[in-house]
Amino acid sequence: EAGVVQSPRYKIIEKKQPVAFWCNPISGHNTLYWYLQNLGQGPELLIRYENEEAVDDSQLPKDRFSAERLKGVDSTLKIQPAELGDSAVYLCASSRDGNTEAFFGQGTRLTVV
Amino acid sequence: GENVEQHPSTLSVQEGDSAVIKCTYSDSASNYFPWYKQELGKGPQLIIDIRSNVGEKKDQRIAVTLNKTAKHFSLHITETQPEDSAVYFCAASNGQGAQKLVFGQGTRLTINP
């Protein structure tokens, strides 16, 4: 069974430019999470989806960040415009539902210059 | 909200010895406690989890203990091997599963041959 797939693995952009990350969860997993991991720290939840509904986006900086999961499977996370402080690893995770364990993808390392 | 403290931040042990990592949490409603292992350049990998109706859980060389009264839980790795070297994260959730995970700051474990 394939795990959580994220792309791209690495992204370097100039500040003020837009960037998007893509995530394909484990087949059959209804819950999808986006996490932010700063260097040397634990992951922090940005948004959680139950199917196509964003049920917890309280930690998502909505002035520049947006996310979607239109058909309840794949998801994209967008930043526009990017700032230097957005440099981090963006992790996607999925679980069968919110009451089960979560499995992470390899992450996208974003560098804003 | 939930706050998870993890100690130590770095741990170095001789191959074959045991390693113990400890976490405390603040929300008495938390009832799901997973541990993740993160190798360089990879996403966090779930290695063991425990729910609040259990005091201890073991899987081969890895065990987790939970003290709900004191609000702390620990990861024990016995007979350590070089491939155990990684960053380990504890997390706590007040949902039945991963829906509201709050992570600790991580412990960098180094196994010396």
Side-chain angles (χ1 to χ4, degrees):
Chain A
E1 179 183 84
V4 177
V5 178
Q6 291 188 246
S7 68
R9 288 294 316 278
Y10 306 93
K11 189 74 176 179
I12 301 174
I13 61 170
E14 294 183 343
K15 61 182 180 182
K16 301 185 181 180
Q17 294 301 305
V19 65
F21 314 123
W22 176 81
C23 173
N24 181 239
I26 294 172
S27 178
H29 281 197
N30 297 319
T31 306
L32 184 145
Y33 314 79
W34 283 102
Y35 282 84
L36 166 69
Q37 186 175 27
N38 286 305
L39 188 64
Q41 298 184 23
E44 301 171 39
L45 180 67
L46 290 173
I47 190 169
R48 171 170 64 97
Y49 281 92
E50 296 290 348
N51 299 302
E52 65 274 10
E53 182 181 1
V55 296
D56 184 357
D57 63 356
S58 56
Q59 301 302 311
L60 190 72
K62 298 179 184 64
D63 57 336
R64 297 184 300 105
F65 286 65
S66 64
E68 61 182 16
R69 193 184 185 200
L70 294 177
K71 296 184 178 179
V73 181
D74 295 1
S75 177
T76 56
L77 177 69
K78 299 178 181 178
I79 308 175
Q80 182 172 12
E83 297 178 352
L84 295 177
D86 296 332
S87 295
V89 175
Y90 292 82
L91 294 163
C92 180
S94 71
S95 59
R96 197 171 304 278
D97 57 50
N99 295 323
T100 56
E101 60 273 23
F103 299 91
F104 284 81
Q106 294 206 356
T108 295
R109 180 176 295 278
L110 173 67
T111 302
V112 182
V113 296
Chain B
E2 176 66 275
N3 183 50
V4 178
E5 297 287 337
Q6 184 172 345
H7 300 280
S9 57
T10 60
L11 179 61
S12 183
V13 301
Q14 288 298 120
E15 181 178 355
D17 289 349
S18 296
V20 179
I21 302 170
K22 299 182 179 181
C23 290
T24 60
Y25 60 98
S26 61
D27 187 351
S28 57
S30 287
N31 52 23
Y32 175 64
F33 308 91
W35 286 87
Y36 286 85
K37 174 184 180 182
Q38 188 172 29
E39 297 174 317
L40 192 63
K42 297 185 177 180
Q45 174 192 3
L46 178 68
I47 56 172
I48 195 168
D49 58 9
I50 191 169
R51 287 177 166 80
S52 60
N53 57 344
V54 176
E56 182 175 357
K57 184 176 178 181
K58 190 173 182 180
D59 183 3
Q60 299 183 348
R61 296 185 298 108
I62 294 173
V64 57
T65 59
L66 171 64
N67 183 326
K68 285 217 73 179
T69 302
K71 289 189 284 188
H72 67 71
F73 55 113
S74 300
L75 177 72
H76 304 252
I77 306 174
T78 59
E79 301 173 12
T80 53
Q81 302 169 3
E83 53 265 38
D84 294 329
S85 294
V87 179
Y88 291 80
F89 291 98
C90 64
S93 170
N94 64 9
Q96 291 299 316
Q99 60 182 286
K100 290 183 181 293
L101 282 179
V102 175
F103 283 80
Q105 301 92 327
T107 296
R108 180 173 298 280
L109 175 63
T110 301
I111 307 302
N112 301 307

